[in-house]
């Protein structure tokens, strides 16, 4: 895997709950996109098993929509989740995004590693900002929940 970026966060919730935030449409639709975009729960479809597919639609502030899709390549609750992720309906990314979940002081250490694929340095920087915004929203969603 050509590593593009790695983000590590400690989330104040147990690994099972943080893993669920990635695999339950009602949670994923809240944090995916952060506060800047709307992801309707009904647009999120998740068949959380190896080779299962997922989709989500982002409604961005300029009025456009981004159609995300991919497939799960590893599902090991609550330790590891790997999935492909693409916003081009005509393509299928091969290298997965990998998220690991480990018990840590104060909750769960969540580590996301995303391949570089064909992203420019500027796109990688924007992706990093985006994920950090998403994870800020996830922290609020999971605060005080078990």
């Amino acid at each position: 895997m050509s590593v593009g970026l790695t983000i590590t966060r400690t989330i104040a919730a147990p690994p099972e709950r943080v893993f669920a935030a990635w695999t339950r449409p009602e949670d994923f639709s809240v944090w995916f996109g952060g506060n800047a975009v709307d992801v309707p729960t009904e647009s999120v479809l998740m068949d959380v098993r190896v080779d299962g597919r997922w989709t989500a639609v982002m409604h961005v502030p300029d009025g456009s929509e981004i159609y995300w899709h991919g497939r799960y390549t590893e599902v090991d609750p609550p330790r590891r989740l790997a999935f492909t992720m693409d916003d081009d309906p005509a393509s299928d990314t091969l290298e997965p995004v990998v998220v690991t979940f480990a018990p840590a002081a104060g909750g769960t250490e969540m580590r996301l590693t995303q391949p570089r694929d064909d992203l420019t340095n500027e796109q990688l920087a924007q992706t990093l900002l985006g994920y950090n915004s998403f994870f800020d929203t996830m922290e609020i969603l999971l605060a005080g929940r078990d």
Side-chain angles (χ1 to χ4, degrees):
M1 174 193 297
S2 60
V3 175
L5 60 89
T6 299
I7 301 169
T8 302
R9 280 271 182 121
T10 298
I11 307 287
E16 294 79 8
R17 183 66 187 100
V18 182
F19 186 92
W22 282 88
T23 57
R24 292 177 23 177
E26 60 271 26
D27 289 336
F28 191 81
S29 66
V30 171
W31 68 263
F32 187 66
N35 291 325
V37 303
D38 181 43
V39 178
T41 303
E42 63 274 8
S43 80
V44 180
L45 304 172
M46 298 180 147
D47 182 7
V48 186
R49 61 185 173 85
V50 173
D51 288 327
R53 297 250 170 217
W54 73 275
T55 61
V57 179
M58 280 184 173
H59 297 263
V60 294
D62 70 6
S64 63
E65 295 179 335
I66 302 172
Y67 296 87
W68 293 99
H69 70 96
R71 65 179 177 78
Y72 296 100
T73 60
E74 292 179 64
V75 179
D76 182 16
R79 291 177 287 283
R80 187 175 171 95
L81 185 67
F83 54 92
T84 61
M85 182 173 176
D86 207 310
D87 63 355
D88 179 356
S91 74
D92 245 342
T93 303
L94 298 177
E95 288 192 75
V97 172
V98 177
V99 188
T100 59
F101 311 88
T108 300
E109 181 185 275
M110 179 181 75
R111 176 170 291 155
L112 175 140
T113 304
Q114 178 170 319
R116 183 177 188 95
D117 292 325
D118 58 354
L119 297 176
T120 65
N121 288 340
E122 182 179 324
Q123 289 170 320
L124 267 180
Q126 288 300 316
T127 300
L128 181 63
L129 287 173
Y131 274 129
N132 278 307
S133 169
F134 296 4
F135 297 158
D136 289 347
T137 303
M138 179 189 284
E139 287 181 343
I140 293 165
L141 171 70
L142 298 180
R145 292 190 181 180
D146 287 341

